[in-house]
Amino acid sequence: NAGVTQTPKFQVLKTGQSMTLQCAQDMNHNSMYWYRQDPGMGLRLIYYSASEGTTDKGEVPNGYNVSRLNKREFSLRLESAAPSQTSVYFCASSDLWGRVGEKLFFGSGTQLSVL
Amino acid sequence: GEDVEQSLFLSVREGDSSVINCTYTDSSSTYLYWYKQEPGAGLQLLTYIFSNMDMKQDQRLTVLLNKKDKHLSLRIADTQTGDSAIYFCAEWGGTASKLTFGTGTRLQVTL
């Protein structure tokens, strides 16, 4: 059982380039999330999708777009990468969005460097 | 808004107990979680506690909750080198209906 799969694992971009981070889950979860992890700042929510067909902004959405392609897949796009977007990105899924007791399942992360 | 704070680093010797602390601000928090992140990996849920409980034990892990002081701790008994990781506290706040993560505590286990 793969759980949450993210690709790529590592990426180096130049300022201004674009790229899409892919995420897929095989647990039949309704909700999916994108977080970024920066030293000393914990995890910050970028965007989330409570269910197929919906997406909403989290704490730090500027510079990103998302697409919930189907129930399994949720992608994150950087249209014009900036050095401030150098971070580790995690995708997560759950089946209890916004409900008491929600537990998230995480992918292994994408380490992105923007030069 | 909601805030969850943790110390950044803890070093313990193998075989000793580790205690990782967390404070939160949302008094309406209903669930509090501990996630573990091993090097190069995503976060994995370790354990969680409901806000009407004071303590939860699960093998080597003991979670203590002081709701009055909004303080959560994770005790790992007989700490092993395999416990070396970053530990994140998270709270599910009723006012926000979302998870808020702390900054993470890096646990280093020395021989």
Side-chain angles (χ1 to χ4, degrees), chain A residues 11 32 42 48 55 58-59 68 79-80 89 95 100-101 110-111:
Chain A
Q11 184 72 49
M32 297 185 75
Y48 65 96
T55 61
E59 301 169 67
R68 184 75 183 264
E79 291 291 352
S80 179
Y89 292 85
D95 60 356
V100 173
T110 296
Q111 190 164 320

Side-chain angles (χ1 to χ4, degrees), chain B residues 9-70:
Chain B
F9 186 75
L10 176 66
S11 181
V12 298
R13 297 181 72 164
E14 189 179 36
D16 288 350
S17 292
S18 309
V19 179
I20 302 170
N21 295 304
C22 169
T23 58
Y24 59 97
T25 59
D26 189 345
S27 58
S28 65
S29 295
T30 47
Y31 268 86
L32 295 122
Y33 305 81
W34 286 103
Y35 281 83
K36 177 183 181 182
Q37 183 185 26
E38 295 183 353
L43 281 70
Q44 286 185 299
L45 180 64
L46 259 186
T47 186
Y48 60 94
I49 188 167
F50 191 52
S51 59
N52 68 353
M53 298 169 64
D54 297 326
M55 185 181 84
K56 180 178 180 181
Q57 189 150 1
D58 184 2
Q59 298 183 331
R60 293 190 297 120
L61 305 179
T62 302
V63 178
L64 294 176
L65 176 60
N66 182 328
K67 202 174 178 186
K68 174 177 168 288
D69 294 337
K70 301 192 192 74

Side-chain angles (χ1 to χ4, degrees), chain A residues 18-68:
Chain A
S18 62
M19 77 160 295
T20 300
L21 280 64
Q22 307 286 352
C23 175
Q25 52 92 9
D26 62 3
M27 295 174 283
N28 201 36
H29 285 166
N30 287 314
S31 306
M32 297 185 75
Y33 307 80
W34 277 105
Y35 286 88
R36 59 178 287 173
Q37 181 183 24
D38 300 293
M41 301 190 76
L43 272 74
R44 292 183 291 169
L45 183 63
I46 306 171
Y47 270 93
Y48 65 96
S49 170
S51 61
E52 187 179 356
T54 70
T55 61
D56 285 286
K57 295 177 181 179
E59 301 169 67
V60 288
N62 291 346
Y64 304 96
N65 284 301
V66 290
S67 295
R68 184 75 183 264

